[in-house]
Amino acid sequence: MRTIRKFEFLNARTIDEAVNTLAAYKGKAWPFAGGTDILRMMRFQPLPENLYPEVLINLKTISPSLEYIKEEDGILSIGALTKLVDIANNALVGERYSALANAANKVASPQIRNMATISGNICQLTHCLYFSKPDNRFHCLRKGGSECPAQLGDNRYCSIFGDVNGCVAVNTSDIAPALIALNARIKTNKRMVNAGEFWDVRVPGSTILDEDEIVVEIQVPRPPPDAKSVFMKFSIRSSIDFPIVNGAALIGDGVARIALNAVAPKPYRATKAEEVLKGKTIDETAAEEAAIAAVSEASPLSFNKWKISVAKAIVKRMVLNTKSR
Amino acid sequence: MEVKERRLKKPLRENPYLTFTQWQFPEDPEYRIIGKVVPPKDTDRITGKAPFSRDIKLPGMLYAKWLTSPYAHARVKKVDVSDVKSMPGVYDVLVCGDPDLQVEGSPEGLGVCEEYPWGQCNVKRPDIAFILPCEAVYEGQPVAVAVAAETPEKVDEALKMVKIEWEELPFVIDRDEALKPDAPIAQLFRGQDVNVVDPVAADLHSYVPWVAPGSDKCERGDVGKGLKEADRVIEFEIKVGTNCWGGGGVEPYASVAWIHNSYLDIWFRVQVPWMVPESAAGAPRGITLPIAASLAGVPLDKIHVHIPYTGAGFGGMNWVGNGALPTLLAVVLSKRTGRPVMVLADWSSFSGITEEEEGHYKFKVGFKNDGTVTAVEIWSNASRGHAGLAIPGCEKLFGITTIKNCRCESTVPYINKAPAACYKHGTTETIVLNEVFSQVAAALGKDPMEVALKNDGYFGHPMHPDMDEVKTKQGFPLRDSLKEVIEAGKKAMDWDNKWHPPGAKKLPNGKYHGLGFAWADEWRAGPWLPFASDNPYHAVLYFLEDGTATIKGMRTLIGVHEKTTYCQIVAEEAGLRYEDVELDHEFNEARLMFPAASGGLTWNSVILKELGMKAKRKLLEVASVHFNKRPEELDIKDSIIFERENPENKVTVRDIVSRYKAKFAGGVWATGETVLKGTEMPPTPREVHHWGRQAAFVEVEVDPDTGKVDVKKFVIVNDVGRVINPGSVAGQQYGGVYMGLGRAHTEEIIYDPLTGVKLNDSLTWYHVPTITDIPRLDAIAVETGLGYSAYGNMGVGEDPNCVARAVLRSAVYNAIGKWIDEDPITPFRVLKALGKG
């Protein structure tokens, strides 16, 4: 095991102090929540020298704490520092927002869920094999390079819905599709953003957040009482893995929201599948039609046609699963 | 004859993923301790107390690491380490080409070879590894520069400051491509203008006697004639073993060397720690210590070897120098700095200096309508990870079948991947064997077990009556191992009720149901015979004044209950209480038998039985003075010596040892030269017979939409001859099956086709199964007494993994009705076979 890269570790006492410090370091400071993703990156060091943070700002010391789950006026509010294990085990979330609880329960392993936070999960860097190779072996577009090595390389886990700015790496958050399906909003220190507009493809980041911006809360509207939400994940191993394809769906009378992830550089809203289901009774035929529609715009790369079949299966199974509501 | 079977029956606690079970079988009146469940003596490994090489701390110790090649093939044009040498805390910088790195015969860099005389390198051997050369022949190879500094952090900092100018060279990582006429030369230092490994230099004959000298094929009978005799002939191709990691355990290598006062002390992770001189019997060779002695400038017998616990033991750790290279670098750096040096092999998140054997195979098989195979022809380009299995098919198709006409030929290329080595011996051989019979059974629509039994034999001879005659002559029971393991496994799997034609059973959950069967022999440890009169093995038993006894003899503890089983045998034979015997495995003056892993207990039960018998004789001789009786009139049980005719006339072993202390000075020595029942040579090309069989049965569900293969149930049946320790057998069955299943369907190194760089050399994306991915296992041990060792016992460590790899292929075929022509059988390949990938 190589030794971890050196960094300074500062405890933020307030949100203002955290974001002011981030601003002062002009991109050389990164927020630190659970640390499970960032410490791994600091050990394996996939980035070029100019992109590493010199300082990590610990958000867990912020007061009042950003670790909470509460429901008020039909809105579920989850503090940005809430651990995934607490979301997975929360009875209220499990009962009314089951896609989110299941997604949290499917992230990595119990040890990681005990540390990792909801904001960290949605802000994780891409885990593309080329991007993640240590020592900046592949200086790809997400590191300020001039080409995407995965486009012509082994892209078996890459995007089946084309590139964004030339990058075909996928977003591997398990929480992301659940938030999109549940029509969540993400509150930062600067603004409120619909979940569907939160993710981006940047160097090296995966969100729209500015250098001095942090997530402070996730807000999820309570789904209609007749609707059911589900989350499904396909991975090589049944535990610990990042998804090969995952997805979440919220389906009820008058509502059909379906999102996939790990299929594109940003979480993918399967709007064509949603349209297919409008006004239909959920049955085998409707589910199959939705599944076909969900991947109708897929354009596989040389190694990943198989992921289309997996994505289709996920959508069909999610839709059928909501039938039992 | 009643089949005596020992199996796991009673769950100790329920767990959705594992069944921890206790062995239930009738008390064997023949033995007090052997075959019994006893409290384990090696619990340190599971309590976390066991020290590993990496835990060693010595005063003033330095740490060292090396650079790794970022390219699949490149040469170092220029190295600038001027900034590194001046860094505070840096003590030494080694650059490729330094005279201190040269071993006689190696072209550049520090090489470790098995060839004689010690230290000379045969660079035509494809499984030879080098460190710190100037030409890197695979991405991740230790290359160019090593740094020693006062902390690991300073080493990492220093390595970042090294400035290297590389010359990138053309590379080839595909074995088929490497054999094409216009392929780039993969490894320039070999001095060849083609990539083909020279069979003369590889010297396969010395490992497999029925391969002609200088040849790369083995032949028996007349394949053309056999094909003409056949009712049907089928041809097919497979690629197996592709891109599996050969790290051999998750413990990253760490070695410490310390030259002081004209002695060399070494702590290292290794499977065979000691050097065995060349002998007439072709004894196995431990490769590290002679070269270490040469590099350190100390005589061999001034090396103190320390072997803390190891994470695992695999042959691949030895013969390509996987375990040796960090150690030798530590020796060089200790000599240069005058300090103890720990070399940390940290070039990746898991250690990957070697890879698993892999190959492309083409088969032509002729057979009768009753399932009798009349001819097999195999061509392959498989890697020669272990020279003993250099030509796939030469081992098992030749050795354990009745097939009269076989020809196995291989053309092996050098490529730009790490050298291959075996990490569970016989895996690819077992796949090749089963592919023949599974495809024949499928073509005929027959039960695969019927075809296996039809062709089970020994070097072209049928088991009945030919081998029955040999068994009778040598005093072995007339048991049929394959038949017995099949009967046990079929019953446990409920095979007859579950079996169906390929692709014929779709379950309500939409998945396809499949059943698979695979078989093989028990793999004996090497073609060499460790019972020769000039063998160099020893074990000693020292009696202590408190009446306890310590077995002393060096061997690596690789996690197969060595301490427990060795003490069981000695206690049994010497008449001591089990709790009164301990094992000291770091005793430099006596070396227990090779190998430490494959058949380790099988071989060592010979020397340990001898040791126990001699210890008993010694105790009785000394006690005879005390009793004023002849030794034959006395006996020992539970550490009490008594008069046979008058058991109440007794004395404890403790009393005898403390009273006659001088008589026990120097201990009791065993040499392993005793030839016991079962070690006589049968009339075959092998040194020991090979009648034990094993079988695996698996039930799977295959998702036709995602391609995922779920293993629902696994039955492993091993004929171990006789169980010495039930926990040790079960542990190896569990471990082997789980390792095999991972490599069969989840684990795969992904290479970038454009650069030859490994993309997933970390445990995040290299998918070793977790506890949630493995099925319940029904582990059954059959005891036929057909083993070649002291108790009719034989090995189990290698075998479960081998059949687990093979059996999944036929199960997936049975599920989806299509053969997958390449493994590992990942979802990607299943969907491709179904036209969806």
Side-chain angles (χ1 to χ4, degrees), chain A residues 104-118:
Chain A
N105 196 42
K106 283 290 183 183
V107 174
S109 64
Q111 293 89 340
I112 291 174
R113 292 194 291 273
N114 287 341
M115 296 287 292
T117 65
I118 187 168

Side-chain angles (χ1 to χ4, degrees), chain A residues 137-155:
Chain A
R137 178 61 184 83
F138 295 99
H139 190 58
C140 70
L141 295 167
R142 300 293 287 273
K143 303 178 191 178
S146 57
E147 61 182 10
C148 170
Q151 292 260 13
L152 296 174
D154 192 315
N155 43 43

Side-chain angles (χ1 to χ4, degrees), chain B residues 249-279:
Chain B
V250 293
E251 178 198 359
Y253 287 93
S255 295
V256 179
W258 186 19
I259 302 170
H260 61 113
N261 299 328
S262 80
Y263 279 86
L264 168 61
D265 276 62
I266 291 176
W267 292 255
F268 60 162
R269 180 203 164 174
V270 71
Q271 187 185 5
V272 183
W274 58 93
M275 188 281 292
V276 176
E278 185 177 13
S279 78

Side-chain angles (χ1 to χ4, degrees), chain A residues 221-285:
Chain A
R222 186 188 298 175
D226 66 299
K228 182 180 176 183
S229 70
V230 297
F231 172 84
M232 284 190 182
K233 175 174 179 174
F234 178 81
S235 54
I236 302 294
R237 295 176 287 197
S238 52
S239 174
I240 213 168
D241 275 353
F242 290 107
I244 303 298
V245 177
N246 65 9
L250 173 72
I251 294 174
D253 292 341
V255 58
R257 294 177 65 90
I258 299 174
L260 292 169
N261 205 10
V263 293
K266 295 192 280 185
Y268 184 80
R269 175 99 179 263
T271 49
K272 287 197 181 309
E274 295 171 3
E275 284 165 19
V276 163
L277 293 175
K278 274 183 187 163
K280 283 195 180 154
T281 305
I282 301 299
D283 58 15
E284 181 81 17
T285 307

Side-chain angles (χ1 to χ4, degrees), chain B residues 575-591:
Chain B
L576 302 175
R577 294 190 308 173
Y578 165 74
E579 54 268 37
D580 287 345
V581 184
E582 297 294 335
L583 170 68
D584 170 6
H585 75 287
E586 290 193 313
F587 188 63
N588 276 252
E589 284 69 34
R591 286 124 195 191

Side-chain angles (χ1 to χ4, degrees), chain B residues 620-696:
Chain B
L620 294 181
E621 281 170 6
V622 176
S624 67
V625 178
H626 174 82
F627 281 93
N628 197 21
K629 297 277 182 188
R630 286 179 291 118
E632 304 84 74
E633 294 176 285
L634 306 175
D635 203 351
I636 314 175
K637 189 178 178 187
D638 295 334
S639 295
I640 293 175
I641 305 171
F642 56 92
E643 190 183 350
R644 284 174 187 269
E645 294 295 321
N646 177 19
E648 288 307 309
N649 185 15
K650 61 188 177 184
V651 64
T652 62
V653 167
R654 184 180 61 188
D655 286 345
I656 291 294
V657 171
S658 58
R659 195 172 302 176
Y660 301 95
K661 203 159 61 178
K663 299 275 187 191
F664 294 94
V668 177
W669 287 69
T671 61
E673 66 192 19
T674 312
V675 176
L676 295 160
K677 177 189 163 191
T679 60
E680 299 92 344
M681 293 189 34
T684 72
R686 284 205 173 107
E687 293 84 350
V688 293
H689 59 71
H690 239 212
W691 296 321
R693 296 290 183 264
Q694 52 171 326

Side-chain angles (χ1 to χ4, degrees), chain B residues 779-794:
Chain B
I780 301 171
V782 170
E783 296 178 282
T784 61
L786 288 172
Y788 41 85
S789 194
Y791 302 95
N793 53 314
M794 47 192 149

Side-chain angles (χ1 to χ4, degrees), chain B residues 489-542:
Chain B
K490 272 180 90 166
K491 192 174 150 200
M493 181 53 87
D494 193 18
W495 180 276
D496 290 336
N497 287 323
K498 290 179 177 173
W499 171 251
H500 54 76
K505 187 171 180 182
K506 197 165 189 182
L507 300 164
N509 63 10
K511 297 178 182 178
Y512 286 99
H513 175 271
L515 277 186
F517 160 76
W519 67 290
D521 55 331
E522 177 271 335
W523 186 79
R524 55 83 181 94
W528 47 83
L529 188 67
F531 303 107
S533 58
D534 62 344
N535 84 61
Y537 306 104
H538 297 94
V540 199
L541 192 70
Y542 283 103

